[in-house]
Every structure is written in C-alpha cells, then in structure tokens.
Amino acid sequence: MGFSLFRKKTGKEPVPSPVNEGMADKQKKYEALVHALHGDIYRYAYWLCRDPHVAEDLVQETYLRAWRAIDSLVDDKAAKPWLITILRRENARRFERKRFDLIDLDEFPQSDDEALHSEQEMEHEWLRRHIARLPEEYQEPLLLQVIGGFSGEEIAQQLGLNKNTVMTRLFRARNQIREAMASTAQQRGHGNG
C-alpha cells in the first residue's frame, strides 16, 4: 500500500502529520513576524523610495522572501535586522532592473497648488533631500537609526561594520545635516536683511 496524503473519513479526528505541524508552526512564526514588524518595515521602505505604492511592493517582496527563508531565522530577536536586510536588498534589486529617464526639473515649474503647503512639510522635504545627498556610507546608518530605531551595535551587525565605524558615520552624518541647516539659516538671514 502506498503513502497517501488523503485519509478516509472514519469519524475520528485525523492524526496530524509532521509536515502539517511544521507548516502550521512556520505560518504562526511568519504571521507573528508580520504583525509585530509591519509598521517599521513599511516606514523604512517608504523612506527609501518616497512612494507609497513602491513601498508597499517592496514590503510585499520582502515578506515573500522572508516566508521562503523563515526557517533560516533562528533567533527571533534578529527578526527586525533580518527583514531590514532583505528590504535593502529588494530595494537594490529595484534599481538593478530599472532604467531611469532623467529630466530637467527646471523645465517643469510648480504651480502654487503643487507647492508644499505647510512649513513643517517643507522642513521634512528639506531634511529628506539633505539625507538623500549624504554619501551612502553615512545615509544608510542614519536611516537605520532614525527610521529603524536600531542601536549602533545592531547597525554594525547589519552592515558588517565595526561599531566604532558606525558611530563615526552617524556622527558625521548628523554634523553634515547640522552644517546644512546652519548654512540654510544663514542664507535666509542674508536674504531677509
């Protein structure tokens, strides 16, 4: 008699197979992971791409890859860095597959309706632009700390760097942002005076 996945109905509860138990455990682990970290993963994806639809796609791809490799996640405490790493790789793949058309922004003036509406939005946009201008070696640790909420040690593990290197890069990134802020404030002062 051969092995069969189907059982005859006998009125008795079927004996759970090890395959089904393993799949159920995998599903529970995955669902717990998604439930606990979805907000953080989406926020980081959004910071990377600045487009809610692309961010959703990145998160979907991240969780798809996470599902496939969930058995490789041994330590639940490493789940967030593990997912962030998957997300960063997915974002990089997006650029490998896509060719960008470059346009000159000066050719497309903004109308008043398209302009940023509040001072806070303008400040956030200014900050995003300056973070985006940072060299990647400074930008990535800063985003992992600010958006991901990771410690210097966790960032070092994710990026494969020494903790002191990460802390130096974070210090330099913040200093560059601070200098840009001071320069902008000084330019505003000269423009008004």
Side-chain angles (χ1 to χ4, degrees):
M1 182 171 178
F3 176 76
S4 174
L5 291 175
F6 303 101
R7 298 177 192 259
K8 292 182 183 177
K9 291 187 177 184
T10 61
K12 295 180 184 177
E13 189 66 33
V15 178
S17 72
V19 173
N20 289 340
E21 286 179 7
M23 187 60 76
D25 290 343
K26 180 178 180 179
Q27 182 69 27
K28 285 179 187 174
K29 185 175 183 179
Y30 176 77
E31 287 175 3
L33 184 77
V34 171
H35 180 71
L37 299 173
H38 182 75
D40 291 341
I41 299 304
Y42 178 80
R43 274 190 299 279
Y44 189 71
Y46 186 78
W47 257 92
L48 290 174
C49 66
R50 305 302 316 150
D51 182 322
H53 301 294
V54 174
E56 289 172 10
D57 289 346
L58 283 171
V59 170
Q60 291 275 337
E61 286 297 318
T62 297
Y63 281 123
L64 177 62
R65 289 189 186 273
W67 169 257
R68 291 177 184 155
I70 195 87
D71 294 329
S72 69
L73 180 62
V74 179
D75 183 6
D76 290 342
K77 293 177 184 173
K80 190 173 179 182
W82 181 66
L83 286 172
I84 291 287
T85 300
I86 295 171
L87 177 63
R88 287 176 37 240
R89 289 179 182 155
E90 275 307 305
N91 189 51
R93 280 186 196 91
R94 181 171 65 101
F95 289 106
E96 290 170 2
R97 294 184 297 251
K98 187 172 185 173
R99 298 278 182 211
F100 293 98
D101 294 329
L102 299 177
I103 61 169
D104 185 5
L105 292 178
D106 292 334
E107 292 178 18
F108 301 96
Q110 285 186 323
S111 69
D112 290 339
D113 292 341
E114 295 171 336
L116 296 173
H117 299 296
S118 73
E119 188 174 321
Q120 186 177 18
E121 287 176 358
M122 289 178 10
E123 288 174 1
H124 287 178
E125 186 59 32
W126 180 92
L127 185 58
R128 279 186 211 105
R129 273 193 256 124
H130 279 79
I131 289 174
R133 289 181 190 150
L134 290 173
E136 188 174 337
E137 65 186 24
Y138 297 156
Q139 184 183 118
E140 197 165 27
L142 184 62
L143 288 176
L144 287 171
Q145 184 182 53
V146 173
I147 303 299
F150 292 105
S151 69
E153 190 169 311
E154 291 168 329
I155 296 168
Q157 289 173 350
Q158 284 187 42
L159 300 179
L161 299 171
N162 177 304
K163 181 183 175 189
N164 291 335
T165 302
V166 168
M167 298 311 287
T168 299
R169 289 180 182 183
L170 287 169
F171 176 79
R172 289 179 180 166
R174 285 190 296 267
N175 274 347
Q176 286 185 19
I177 297 293
R178 196 174 297 122
E179 288 171 5
M181 288 174 73
S183 175
T184 300
Q186 187 177 24
Q187 288 172 357
R188 284 181 184 164
H190 287 294
N192 294 334

